[in-house]
Amino acid sequence: MYDALAFDYHWPRKTLSTAHPYETAQRRNRMAVGALLQAPLEALRPTQMAVGMRSVTRKQRKVENRAGKRKKIEKLLCKRPIPAVRGPDGALFIVDHHHFGLALCLAQVKTAYVHVIDDISQLSRHAFWQRMEAEGRLYPYDEFGRRIPPSLLPTSLHALRHDPFRDLAWEVREAEGFDKAPEPYAEFHWANFFRERIPLSTIRRDPKEAIRLALKLCRSKDAAELPGYAH
């Protein structure tokens, strides 16, 4: 099993050069908005570049604890359908649950339930990305917080990269440093806030100290405009 604690901060840059057979089969079919369907995890397209691998690993362990117990894994998948938008070429672009989706992949789960929240497959690829960002369904930034063109986003969950500051934000929220917020990609905003104020070397050398510093920053006036600010 993959262990994020031993991760070297260089997630492989795997990409897919051709459409997945599932996408090819769906190109000519419109999907009803609100539909719940089962889809191969390897066919799902991310709308962000990075995740926090410690968070993924914890979710992976929870999935693996249900491995071999069909009813339990089915219950988990039904409870957490992955929201997605149908886009160009019939692809399903997931807009949340990236950590959960990658955890399923690493636990050798092959399919997941997908909740289709929109079908804009009739748009050109350029118009599709513009619409997705305008509606808060796209986070075009890399694992260093730098803006990237959507064309550079991973084309599979396995190609997601590791952002240690995204892990820090998750750990701080778990420690009640800020509240879970409904805004899209809220924890990435916190990750970037910490990125500007806490050295990466501190996270690598002393994760507990990084969390302590981040919790202190959560109470500062500088954080007051961030989603989920709780002080």
Side-chain angles (χ1 to χ4, degrees):
M1 183 181 72
Y2 179 81
D3 186 355
L5 297 179
F7 192 65
D8 65 359
Y9 297 95
H10 295 286
W11 190 242
R13 301 185 179 190
K14 176 182 176 184
T15 59
L16 299 179
S17 59
T18 59
H20 189 276
Y22 180 84
E23 294 173 18
T24 303
Q26 296 298 327
R27 284 178 180 175
R28 296 183 180 178
N29 301 318
R30 296 278 300 173
M31 290 181 183
V33 175
L36 187 67
L37 53 90
Q38 196 168 31
L41 282 160
E42 62 180 14
L44 302 183
R45 301 294 187 93
T47 53
Q48 64 191 51
M49 175 68 80
V51 291
M53 284 306 301
R54 285 194 177 89
S55 174
V56 170
T57 298
R58 179 182 291 187
K59 294 176 188 297
Q60 178 188 352
R61 288 169 179 161
K62 289 181 179 179
V63 173
E64 288 176 336
N65 286 337
R66 294 167 171 81
K69 301 172 184 177
R70 184 174 178 179
K71 288 185 178 179
K72 286 190 175 183
I73 197 71
E74 181 73 9
K75 183 178 180 180
L76 175 66
L77 295 177
C78 287
K79 186 179 179 181
R80 298 202 66 187
I82 298 174
V85 173
R86 186 172 186 251
D89 298 324
L92 289 169
F93 292 82
I94 67 173
V95 297
D96 200 359
H97 298 343
H98 288 76
H99 290 74
F100 179 59
L102 180 54
L104 291 173
C105 291
L106 295 175
Q108 305 301 311
V109 176
K110 302 300 182 184
T111 63
Y113 286 105
V114 174
H115 178 212
V116 180
I117 63 172
D118 203 355
D119 185 344
I120 49 176
S121 54
Q122 77 281 5
L123 297 180
S124 68
R125 193 165 294 274
H126 178 71
F128 170 77
W129 288 126
Q130 284 189 322
R131 173 90 164 264
M132 289 286 281
E133 183 166 15
E135 295 182 350
R137 294 173 173 174
L138 171 68
Y139 191 75
Y141 296 87
D142 67 12
E143 68 272 34
F144 305 107
R146 302 175 302 199
R147 188 176 176 88
I148 58 169
S151 60
L152 293 183
L153 286 170
T155 55
S156 73
L157 287 164
H158 277 293
L160 287 165
R161 303 179 192 172
H162 176 55
D163 179 356
F165 285 95
R166 177 61 180 79
D167 258 335
L168 178 60
W170 166 71
E171 289 165 333
V172 169
R173 184 173 68 80
E174 290 283 294
E176 300 183 348
F178 60 91
D179 296 332
K180 186 175 179 63
E183 290 89 341
Y185 308 103
E187 289 187 30
F188 278 104
H189 295 299
W190 283 97
N192 288 328
F193 176 72
F194 298 141
R195 195 190 315 275
E196 295 171 356
R197 295 164 174 82
I198 298 175
L200 176 59
S201 58
T202 301
I203 296 177
R204 291 175 171 173
R205 183 186 69 253
D206 191 345
K208 290 184 178 180
E209 173 64 8
I211 294 172
R212 187 190 70 78
L213 292 172
L215 286 170
K216 184 177 180 180
L217 285 168
C218 286
R219 297 189 290 271
S220 70
K221 292 182 179 179
D222 290 343
E225 301 301 318
L226 290 169
Y229 178 76
H231 298 282

